[in-house]
Amino acid sequence: MTNHQGVNRMTQSTSLCDIGFIGLGVMGKNIALNLADNGYKIAAFDLDHNKVDDLIAQDELERTTDQARIIQCSSYTELLGKLRAPHLIILSVPAGAPVDDVCQKLIDAGICADDIIVDTGNSLWTDTIAREKSYHGKFIFFTTAVSGGEVGARFGPSLMPSGDPYAWARIEPVLEAISAKVDPVTGKALERTSIEQPLPKGEPCATYIGPAGSGHYVKMVHNGIEYADMQLICEAYHIMRETLDYTPKQIATIFRQWNQGVLNSYLMEISAEVLEHDDPETNLPLVDIILDKAGQKGTGLWTAVSALQVGSPAATIAQSVFARSLSTLKHARIRAAKLLSGPQVIKAAATDNDVIVQELHDALYCSKIVAYAQGFQLIKLAAREQQWPLNFGAIAKIWRAGCIIRAAFLQKITDAYDRDQELGNLLLDSYFADEIAKYQGNWRQAIAKATINGIPCGAFSSALAYYDSYRTETLPANLLQAQRDFFGAHTFKRVDRPQDESYHVKWAEPGRPLIKVD
Ligand code: 6PG
């Protein structure tokens, strides 16, 4: 076999490898090749030996010298034997039990206390904390969450490492090398999309997040924001189709225009590309032949659950998870569509189209700001609870390139945290407050029109409801507290007394006396 430059296949080099790599699925294979591009010699293993063969073949095709960059291993023991000590092993295996299974196999194979295992999967952050404790003394369990899908993994993902600082010091050059890069002056992503392109030099999208679990927590919320971003784009698309009768290709053109401005993002770009694409079998727009039942792997759900537990109102993120759940009730929806009444959609007059498109643009923009504000607020509250000293500006920075939610917009979030490291909510930053002040009229119009027409826009609406609730000084929670006190003697605070005092009305007694509760 020859590589792309016609070099003959070499026998595998006998020098020791820098990194052991276990798990060669789509992500693992690409991360391994990315490491090899960056000069690391890899010992690779997967339970499925065909996957190892595929990777070796790919390396032969891609490498530009006759030196094998990736060495095949057929067991955990062989893998350890081929590595320089102390061993550095990267895992790309499914989250959950497989991570522990591989760790145990490596313990059995003789891994040492000073060796590092790095989990790159979408693991649940609490599992990560438990693992760091349970493997203490056996080896150093470190993690880096990875975002960017298969292309990101191959040419530069966004990385969210966390765990033992000593392990970070050892692995930092490796993770920085393989991560996406950003132009330090413009803040723009330096794209690499093929092996022919040189490795970009710039600010790495990899930064130490904090103690064990924090990196996976941040990645989990990244995915929650991703769910909201996607759902918001879908709602803008849906309203355009229903009220303007635009075709997918017309909407793709609008999305491409939007992608030139404040809504510039990877998700906007790929949505346009999807809407332009026709099904090769029917020649219909592909989107029209895709069943409208959304899947999910769990990270959005985890974000929503954590938001409820922490008490951080990430309503737009949770709504986006519910939107996926509701989409799966296809049979019920087909039945309900026939049984349940709603308004007739009033098609917009062609002369109003531009106005409606602008309203939707602004609704998407304002809702997106709110979704990110919710995500960052959630991370902040969780970090306070877990006592993680996180740097929010740095988190926004590593999401500027490589990851799925990458967007020009992230630079604005970094700027906001540069202005105020302690910022409690992005909405309170002067830039975002001014942006919403400018565009909220159209945001409200878009939601009002969709609602009058009976077109669901739960993520748009929940974002606006969050915004309006957040800026309301007195909420009806006073009545709610009274209700709780009435049926459950749950007590309440008074606005005119110290907050550490509690009061209760003896509702059942004549005269309903008010008492102070100790
Ligand atoms: C990323 C993605 C990645 C993956 C999610 C999608 O950041 O690279 O978020 O983690 O695509 O698993 O999750 P759902 O299947 O839940 O949409």
Side-chain angles (χ1 to χ4, degrees), residues 122 146-149 219 222-223 226-227 296-298 324 404:
N122 264 336
V146 179
S147 177
K219 171 61 177 30
H222 163 285
N223 280 25
E226 173 185 304
Y227 274 49
Q296 50 180 312
K297 292 214 185 92
R324 292 196 190 190
I404 302 297

Side-chain angles (χ1 to χ4, degrees), residues 192-447:
R192 179 175 186 245
T193 49
S194 82
I195 51 166
E196 278 73 32
Q197 289 169 284
L199 296 170
K201 299 208 180 333
E203 254 179 61
C205 290
T207 194
Y208 180 70
I209 301 289
S214 60
H216 271 132
Y217 194 90
V218 165
K219 171 61 177 30
M220 176 189 82
V221 178
H222 163 285
N223 280 25
I225 294 172
E226 173 185 304
Y227 274 49
D229 244 345
M230 294 167 81
Q231 178 63 24
L232 290 167
I233 293 172
C234 291
E235 290 181 6
Y237 154 82
H238 190 198
I239 296 169
M240 274 191 253
R241 282 210 83 171
E242 292 294 319
T243 58
L244 306 182
D245 265 346
Y246 279 181
T247 63
K249 286 199 176 61
Q250 283 174 300
I251 299 171
T253 305
I254 289 165
F255 281 2
R256 290 221 180 272
Q257 285 159 4
W258 290 2
N259 201 35
Q260 302 305 311
V262 288
L263 290 176
N264 172 270
S265 70
Y266 170 73
L267 285 169
M268 183 57 69
E269 183 189 322
I270 64 162
S271 304
E273 212 164 313
V274 166
L275 292 174
E276 274 161 2
H277 192 72
D278 288 332
D279 169 42
E281 286 181 21
T282 59
N283 288 328
L284 292 169
L286 180 81
V287 71
D288 285 345
I289 58 104
I290 296 180
L291 185 64
D292 56 334
K293 286 168 81 169
Q296 50 180 312
K297 292 214 185 92
T299 46
L301 169 83
W302 294 346
T303 311
V305 168
S306 178
L308 288 167
Q309 285 168 338
V310 170
S312 186
T316 309
I317 293 174
Q319 172 56 35
S320 304
V321 181
F322 286 134
R324 292 196 190 190
S325 317
L326 213 145
S327 79
T328 63
L329 307 176
K330 180 74 178 175
H331 288 304
R333 288 191 288 115
I334 291 172
R335 195 152 171 264
K338 294 187 182 73
L339 286 174
L340 304 182
S341 67
Q344 193 69 34
V345 175
I346 301 162
K347 302 287 176 192
T351 46
D352 291 339
N353 285 4
D354 288 351
V355 171
I356 290 172
V357 167
Q358 188 59 43
E359 286 169 356
L360 287 169
H361 171 277
D362 296 350
L364 180 50
Y365 180 44
C366 292
S367 304
K368 180 174 167 129
I369 293 173
V370 168
Y372 279 70
Q374 291 175 4
F376 275 90
Q377 187 183 41
L378 171 58
I379 298 175
K380 190 164 185 107
L381 292 180
R384 191 179 297 161
E385 209 172 273
Q386 298 297 320
Q387 298 181 324
W388 293 328
L390 303 190
N391 179 336
F392 298 93
I395 292 169
K397 267 187 172 180
I398 58 164
W399 289 349
R400 289 176 302 173
C403 66
I404 302 297
I405 64 169
R406 62 185 179 265
F409 180 75
L410 262 312
Q411 183 60 45
K412 299 291 182 195
I413 298 181
T414 300
D415 296 345
Y417 284 111
D418 283 350
R419 278 188 286 277
D420 178 7
Q421 298 277 349
E422 301 307 316
L423 186 64
N425 188 312
L426 279 175
L427 294 176
L428 300 176
D429 172 70
S430 55
Y431 174 80
F432 289 114
D434 289 350
E435 289 297 273
I436 293 200
K438 268 191 259 168
Y439 300 113
Q440 65 173 291
N442 274 351
W443 186 16
R444 294 178 192 281
Q445 280 295 333
I447 292 170

Side-chain angles (χ1 to χ4, degrees), residues 76-157:
Y76 294 98
T77 314
E78 187 186 357
L79 180 115
L80 286 186
K82 291 216 159 106
L83 288 181
R84 273 197 285 117
H87 304 125
L88 172 59
I89 298 165
I90 299 182
L91 310 187
S92 180
V93 299
V99 177
D100 291 308
D101 188 46
V102 173
C103 288
Q104 189 53 51
K105 295 276 177 6
L106 286 166
I107 293 170
D108 298 344
I111 196 164
C112 303
D114 203 23
D115 294 342
I116 302 173
I117 295 183
V118 184
D119 173 23
T120 65
N122 264 336
S123 294
L124 183 59
W125 66 281
T126 45
D127 286 353
T128 297
I129 294 176
R131 284 186 183 119
E132 203 216 26
K133 283 201 186 91
S134 78
Y135 295 125
H136 184 75
K138 298 185 175 111
F139 60 87
I140 303 167
F141 184 78
F142 193 80
T143 66
T144 183
V146 179
S147 177
E150 53 185 301
V151 175
R154 180 66 187 85
F155 297 111

Side-chain angles (χ1 to χ4, degrees), residues 15-28:
S15 67
L16 290 172
C17 295
D18 304 302
I19 298 169
F21 205 100
I22 298 174
L24 302 173
V26 177
M27 292 296 283

